[in-house]
Structures are given as C-alpha cells and as structure tokens.
Amino acid sequence: MGEFDLIAKYFSRSSAREDVLLDVGDDAAVVHVPPDKRLVAAVDTIVEGVHFLPGAAAADVGYRALAVNLSDMAAMGAMPAWMTLSLSLPRADEAWLAGFATGLYDLADKYAVALVGGDTVRGPLAVTVQILGLVEADGWLTRSHAQIGDTVFVSGLPGEAAGGLAVLQQSLPQSADAQRLIQRFLRPEPRVALGRALRMLANATIDVSDGVISDLQHICEQSDCGAHIDMEVFPVSSALRACFDASKCEQMALNGGDDYELVFTVPPERLLAVEAAIAGGVRCTPIGRIVAGNGVQCFRGGQRLALAPRGYDHFS
Ligand code: ADP
Ligand code: MG
C-alpha cells in the first residue's frame, strides 16, 4: 500500500462540519473562522517508548494522540474544531492503521472534530496532532492570571493514570481496581466541558500532563505567586489505594503524569459561580490556595512536607 492509497483509505473521511471549506487532498485545508471567535492552536507529538508503551494497541495510540490535544483546548476554555495529523510509520501496516483510525475517529466524532489534513512519512513510530479550536473573543483561560487568595482546584482523581501505567509495566494482578487504573491511563477523558464552564470564571488553568505539583508550578511561575496544597483534602482514588501503599499513592497523586485533569484557580468572589457552573460535571476538589512567594508547598496538619520530586522533563 502506497502513501496516497493509505491516506485515501484511512484519513480522507469527509467531515460533517460546515465550516470546513477544503479538507484532505489539496495542498492545505481552509476553514471558516466566525468574526466573533478567535482561533486557538496547539500541537502535541506522542512517540513510541516515550508517551506510549512499545506495542501499545493502535486504537489506544489514535485515541491518545487526539486526547492530549483536546486537553490543551480544555485548558484554554476553547471548543475544539479541526485537526491535522502527521504520522511517522515504520511501515504501512494495515491492521495497525485501521485500529489507529478507529481510536482517533471515535474521539474525534465525540467532540465533532474534523480531520482536515496532515502528512505521512516513513520513520520511527510517532504521531503528531495539531488541534485548532475556537474561543469567544471576550476571553480565554491562561496560566498567568492566578491571584493571591485564589482557591486551587483539581478535577477528577489525579494519579490514576500513573497507577495504570505502573500496573502495566510491573504486570501487577488485574483486579477490577487495577483495570480502572489501566483504563484511566489508556483512555484519559479530556475535560473540554469543564474548561468551557470555567471560561470567564477561573483566574488560571492548566491541564495536568506532567503531574499536579509540576503543572501547578507552571501556574505559579507564570502568575508570579506560590501555592500551598493541603494534603488532608487532596483526593486520592480508592482504586489507587487498593493497588499501592499509602506513600506510593500520595506520590502518584501529586507527581503522576498522563491524567489530563485540569488544575485551576478561582478568586473568592467567584467560588459560588464556579460551583454552579461545574455542578453535574466531573468532580472538582479544592486542594489549596494561591499565596505570595513562589513554588508549591504541601502541608499536612500544619506541617510542611519535604518537597516532592518534580514531574517529567524530556531533557533533564
Ligand atoms: P504535500 O506534498 O502538498 O504536503 P501530501 O502529499 O503530503 O501533500 O498530502 C496530500 C494530501 O493528503 C494533503 O491534503 C494532506 O493534508 C493530506 N494528508 C497527508 N497525510 C495525511 C494524514 N495522515 N491524515 C490526514 N491527511 C493527510
Ligand atoms: Mg506532505
């Protein structure tokens, strides 16, 4: 199967979006951006052996490639709309491509994202998705506007994905709890609806790809503030507790990557509005507050804990 057959067979499905004016097949895609919206762009590459396990199911790779990008849209308060796909493949393996396309399109359909173009090359297995989204012209979320006195929230149960990865890597027994963790690692749920609800309400938002501490640290640096986390209220998944000892659970909850939850900060006068806006959606837990200074510190019973190690850094 040649490059063009492959594109035609797996990546040329026409989209239902009326704002796609020209898609796969020309030199570039053309989309309609309404005058009252702003274009939001993000790109993420996932590489075999770095972001997914060697031999991972193709459908899970397709899902992940888009999920990590949808998570960036969530963190901006944006609506995802279109994507381009750059695929580097060691060979044109049809079974792999069919699985990959299924995982990718399943999630794309769920969020009404159209695949409008891409590039296909031979090389080590790596997938790049660029996502394009829309946000109202009057405001989007950033990392840089946290204020002293804001409450820090986290969505979901951070650490579950790291737990799932550990179950897979250490071939731990696949109890129902372990299965839940694996599912959270393989199929993270991008928090797009939460991001939309937080637009104009949260002061600062980031998605958790590298770990809660490490990503909250980015908010602190870019907002010129510090943060205190209260370990007594930090949510720790019962599935995680069932599979790992307490200190391992805590470490995964604070530093585990791949959850794609949102961390966000809310000023006191908007706490009630946020509560109302996020009711009925994913559970969000207040875990601490923004303070003067810099850096993230964790407390239990008034005692400051030794600073937990940082999240993942590709070059450190
Ligand atoms: P060019 O040489 O102009 O870069 P290509 O030959 O790389 O064009 O691609 C042909 C068409 O197929 C383009 O419209 C491109 O966007 C699309 N395309 C290539 N690879 C993919 C892919 N993996 N997914 C979606 N569209 C793709
Ligand atoms: Mg090309």
Side-chain angles (χ1 to χ4, degrees):
M1 157 166 273
E3 176 187 335
F4 299 102
D5 303 323
L6 183 164
I7 296 165
K9 183 160 179 189
Y10 295 106
F11 303 114
S12 299
R13 221 180 59 175
S14 69
S15 143
R17 289 188 72 100
E18 286 177 0
D19 53 11
V20 177
L21 308 179
L22 187 61
D23 59 3
V24 175
D26 219 299
D27 284 310
V30 181
V31 297
H32 176 78
V33 178
D36 59 333
K37 298 286 196 300
R38 297 295 174 262
L39 186 66
V40 186
V43 65
D44 259 310
T45 298
I46 60 172
V47 177
E48 181 174 43
V50 181
H51 304 92
F52 58 92
L53 299 171
D60 292 334
V61 177
Y63 180 99
R64 173 171 295 269
L66 177 54
V68 299
N69 278 284
L70 292 177
S71 180
D72 286 325
M73 290 291 106
M76 303 305 293
M79 278 299 294
W82 314 287
M83 65 172 158
T84 58
L85 165 68
S86 177
L87 256 187
S88 168
L89 300 171
R91 63 198 160 272
D93 175 340
E94 287 220 45
W96 194 90
L97 280 160
F100 175 85
T102 303
L104 182 77
Y105 278 121
D106 280 352
L107 191 59
D109 289 346
K110 185 167 172 189
Y111 287 93
V113 172
L115 176 60
V116 296
D119 198 22
T120 307
V121 300
R122 182 198 292 269
L125 183 55
V127 186
T128 301
V129 167
Q130 180 187 45
I131 188 96
L132 299 166
L134 295 170
V135 72
E136 290 75 5
D138 62 355
W140 46 88
L141 298 166
T142 69
R143 301 176 175 187
S144 57
H145 289 83
Q147 297 283 337
I148 294 164
D150 284 3
T151 299
V152 178
F153 287 81
V154 70
S155 66
L157 298 167
E160 289 198 326
L165 175 60
V167 170
L168 290 174
Q169 282 180 325
Q170 298 164 28
S171 306
L172 301 178
Q174 301 219 348
S175 61
D177 288 313
Q179 296 279 3
R180 175 189 161 86
L181 301 180
I182 290 171
Q183 192 63 15
R184 297 284 301 130
F185 171 68
L186 293 179
R187 299 281 172 136
E189 190 64 55
R191 302 304 185 189
V192 175
L194 176 60
R196 293 292 292 157
L198 293 173
R199 195 188 73 88
M200 309 300 277
L201 291 177
N203 270 346
T205 308
I206 191 168
D207 69 317
V208 181
S209 52
D210 296 331
V212 170
I213 301 257
S214 162
D215 287 313
L216 178 54
Q217 181 73 43
H218 291 308
I219 287 185
C220 290
E221 279 159 14
Q222 295 189 33
S223 300
D224 197 19
C225 61
H228 286 178
I229 290 182
D230 179 358
M231 292 312 297
E232 275 154 69
V233 296
F234 200 97
V236 180
S237 141
S238 60
L240 209 52
R241 285 188 199 283
C243 297
F244 301 95
D245 69 41
S247 85
K248 189 82 194 144
C249 289
E250 184 164 283
Q251 216 235 315
M252 285 173 168
L254 291 173
N255 293 313
D258 294 320
D259 284 301
Y260 299 99
E261 296 295 348
L262 294 183
V263 165
F264 54 96
T265 83
V266 179
E269 70 274 15
R270 290 206 290 268
L271 282 170
L272 284 178
V274 163
E275 228 169 76
I278 67 182
V282 59
R283 156 174 153 196
C284 297
T285 311
I287 55 169
R289 64 181 52 253
I290 296 295
V291 298
N294 54 59
V296 179
Q297 294 173 357
C298 297
F299 292 84
R300 175 179 287 112
Q303 293 275 45
R304 185 175 150 190
L305 306 186
L307 192 70
R310 297 284 301 274
Y312 191 75
D313 178 333
H314 283 273
F315 295 104
S316 71

